[in-house]
Amino acid sequence: MGKEKNFFSNKSLPAKVGIIIVGIISLFILFQIVGYFIAMFILIGDATFSRKHTYTDVENYTNYIGVNCEDEYSNKRGMDESIFPEQITDSMNVDEFSFTYYNPRDAQYVGYLTVTYSQEEYETELERLYQKEHDQYKGLFNVSGEPENYSILAIDADKDFGLVYAIKPDSEGTSITYVEVIVPGNLGMILGKYLPEKYQLKDMDMSDVNKIF
């Protein structure tokens, strides 16, 4: 039986070192390529399965907001969503409604509702809101005050999970706007695309959930 030939046996030392270096570089490039395709697969998966969903069908309001919302939208991190109306009644004139859900890894919610009430219902709703949370919010998420030309009626503020609040315009009228931005970590969407700037608290920045003056 002949002896098994060793590939390196007839190579000089520099040649052997060169072969080893080329092998290491080749493995490094291979790992880089594999890593690139894995990263692309993850990004494509996020884009496909974690897309933002915006709903404006107010007739299905309770599917998205409140204690009876669908399971997919129920992880509101203990934020007081009861600042929003429990349901939409026939006597409520809904001017605007939008609810956006995004779940890249942790569920994020941006929603707002504007209702114009009759004078009697407006006064009843003001009384209800005055009995809700009025948390200290200035300094959280870079916030420096109320939205321009609006006053806060109630607010639940948590430095880790976001804001839920109700505001009314300073001008005459019987409308109230309810807002929620609930996010564990950094908000994965451009806030202005899903919440009109006029309803945002002054200097509000949700890009870093723990951002404080």
Side-chain angles (χ1 to χ4, degrees):
M1 181 180 293
K3 291 183 179 179
E4 183 178 341
K5 292 184 177 180
N6 189 322
F7 176 75
F8 288 98
S9 61
N10 60 349
K11 303 289 183 182
S12 65
L13 180 60
K16 292 177 181 178
V17 172
I19 291 169
I20 292 171
I21 291 173
V22 169
I24 292 172
I25 292 173
S26 298
L27 284 173
F28 175 76
I29 293 173
L30 179 62
F31 283 131
Q32 290 287 95
I33 294 172
V34 170
Y36 171 79
F37 280 106
I38 289 174
M40 288 299 296
F41 178 79
I42 292 172
L43 288 173
I44 291 170
D46 274 352
T48 303
F49 300 108
S50 302
R51 290 176 295 180
K52 303 173 186 70
H53 299 278
T54 298
Y55 305 96
T56 57
D57 50 329
V58 73
E59 63 272 14
N60 294 316
Y61 172 81
T62 55
N63 289 350
Y64 317 120
I65 304 287
V67 295
N68 296 316
C69 66
E70 295 179 353
D71 289 344
E72 189 176 10
Y73 313 122
S74 63
N75 187 16
K76 301 293 176 58
R77 306 287 174 168
M79 299 298 292
D80 187 9
E81 210 176 26
S82 69
I83 287 175
F84 277 69
E86 182 178 354
Q87 60 185 344
I88 303 298
T89 65
D90 291 340
S91 62
M92 295 165 66
N93 184 9
V94 175
D95 300 314
E96 298 173 289
F97 172 66
S98 176
F99 177 83
T100 300
Y101 168 75
Y102 181 46
N103 192 355
R105 288 174 183 82
D106 294 301
Q108 304 180 8
Y109 311 89
V110 177
Y112 63 96
L113 167 74
T114 299
V115 176
T116 298
Y117 294 95
S118 67
Q119 187 63 44
E120 182 179 354
E121 288 178 323
Y122 179 68
E123 292 173 3
T124 300
E125 182 64 0
L126 289 180
E127 184 61 31
R128 184 186 75 86
L129 290 171
Y130 288 148
Q131 296 175 20
K132 303 298 290 183
E133 284 84 0
H134 289 80
D135 289 348
Q136 174 57 248
Y137 63 92
K138 290 184 179 179
L140 298 180
F141 318 111
N142 209 43
V143 170
S144 61
E146 297 171 308
E148 188 174 357
N149 302 319
Y150 283 85
S151 297
I152 291 175
L153 300 173
I155 183 167
D156 179 22
D158 187 289
K159 69 180 182 65
D160 296 314
F161 298 129
L163 301 160
V164 181
Y165 54 92
I167 55 177
K168 71 176 185 68
D170 294 334
S171 59
E172 293 293 327
T174 58
S175 70
I176 296 175
T177 296
Y178 309 83
V179 177
E180 66 178 11
V181 183
I182 300 173
V183 48
N186 295 342
L187 183 66
M189 36 185 143
I190 299 172
L191 186 60
K193 290 182 63 176
Y194 304 98
L195 176 64
E197 186 175 354
K198 63 181 178 179
Y199 299 145
Q200 296 178 32
L201 301 177
K202 188 176 181 181
D203 299 321
M204 186 172 170
D205 179 4
M206 304 297 289
S207 61
D208 186 338
V209 75
N210 291 311
K211 190 171 185 178
I212 302 175
F213 283 145

